[in-house]
Amino acid sequence: MKFEYLSEETERLVIRPLQHSDYQAWLTGFCGRFDSQSPYDEGRLDMSICTENWYNQLVDKHHQFIKEDKIYIFGIFRKADGMHLGNLDIVTLSRSHFQWAECGYTIHNQFWRKGYAFEALTAMLKIADKRLKYHRVEAHVNIGNIPSAKLLEKAGFQYECTREKFIFENGEWTDHLVYAKTLNNMPPVNM
């Protein structure tokens, strides 16, 4: 299943759901990661379980999430060579009267500081607005992750609040900054 309507191109990138045929580019992107560059960077990962069969099951699960309007996971691919640069995701928090979602992004650390994150996030917001019809998109950021907060501000997100003990990570409940962006002002579909 291709989900062409969920694809967006920029000058340098293609943003789209992963396909079975992306396995080698996806694996190469992950295997090329450097050691961790910050407390918020996983760095190198053990990819030994990520066989092609495992990957195909992952893609099938992603496609099922799309069909159910739960989670939209996008690969970020460089146009010039098809290299997998990272992933984006949009999670539906509520439809009905809200049309509300949360987004996230990861760029493999060997591709940092080239503007890919901003370019990819901007493209994903177009998909969220024009094709998925979300009205509000939130992003949750670790308090010390200043580069991520700056990226969101550059993309038009506004800081709203700090949620205390909001997310369980690294064995404890941690505070997170909440950023939000209003996309379109159209009324929800089928109201």
Side-chain angles (χ1 to χ4, degrees), residues 9 13 19 38 42 52 68 87 91 95 101 122 126 146-147 152 164 172 176 180:
E9 293 190 16
L13 305 175
Q19 300 298 322
S38 82
E42 293 179 305
E52 191 165 2
E68 296 169 357
N87 295 304
V91 178
R95 283 294 191 175
T122 302
K126 287 181 185 176
I146 294 167
L152 290 167
E164 294 182 13
E172 64 183 334
H176 270 228

Side-chain angles (χ1 to χ4, degrees), residues 19-182:
Q19 300 298 322
H20 293 132
S21 60
D22 296 325
Y23 174 68
Q24 199 56 56
W26 176 88
L27 186 63
T28 300
F30 274 98
C31 288
R33 285 182 169 194
F34 301 144
D35 290 335
S36 178
Q37 306 292 303
S38 82
Y40 312 105
D41 172 26
E42 293 179 305
R44 293 184 190 273
L45 300 172
D46 178 4
M47 301 299 287
S48 61
I49 66 160
C50 302
T51 64
E52 191 165 2
N53 184 52
W54 179 93
Y55 171 82
N56 287 335
Q57 290 177 27
L58 178 73
V59 170
D60 291 343
K61 185 192 298 187
H62 288 186
H63 290 186
Q64 187 60 39
F65 289 153
I66 290 170
K67 290 177 192 173
E68 296 169 357
D69 188 40
K70 288 182 178 179
I71 305 171
Y72 298 83
I73 300 170
F74 302 91
I76 305 166
F77 298 92
R78 193 164 49 198
K79 275 185 180 178
D81 57 8
M83 177 63 67
H84 181 261
L85 306 180
N87 295 304
L88 302 149
D89 63 81
I90 304 172
V91 178
T92 301
L93 297 177
S94 181
R95 283 294 191 175
S96 185
H97 300 289
F98 295 101
Q99 304 304 321
W100 177 28
E102 174 196 357
C103 73
Y105 40 84
T106 302
I107 300 291
H108 301 311
N109 62 16
Q110 70 269 34
F111 301 114
W112 284 8
R113 296 176 190 84
K114 294 178 174 41
Y116 291 133
F118 176 74
E119 195 172 333
L121 179 59
T122 302
M124 184 186 67
L125 289 171
K126 287 181 185 176
I127 295 169
D129 184 11
K130 304 298 182 203
R131 296 183 199 114
L132 298 177
K133 305 296 184 193
Y134 290 113
H135 175 69
R136 175 189 169 82
V137 177
E138 282 187 7
H140 307 145
V141 180
N142 289 90
I143 288 180
N145 194 343
I146 294 167
S148 189
K150 286 183 177 181
L151 170 66
L152 290 167
E153 290 169 1
K154 184 177 178 183
F157 284 76
Q158 295 184 346
Y159 168 78
E160 287 196 336
C161 65
T162 299
R163 291 192 181 138
E164 294 182 13
K165 300 185 187 315
F166 183 59
I167 296 176
F168 193 79
E169 46 187 14
N170 302 319
E172 64 183 334
W173 289 101
T174 61
D175 299 348
H176 270 228
L177 307 174
V178 177
Y179 283 82
K181 181 176 177 75
T182 300

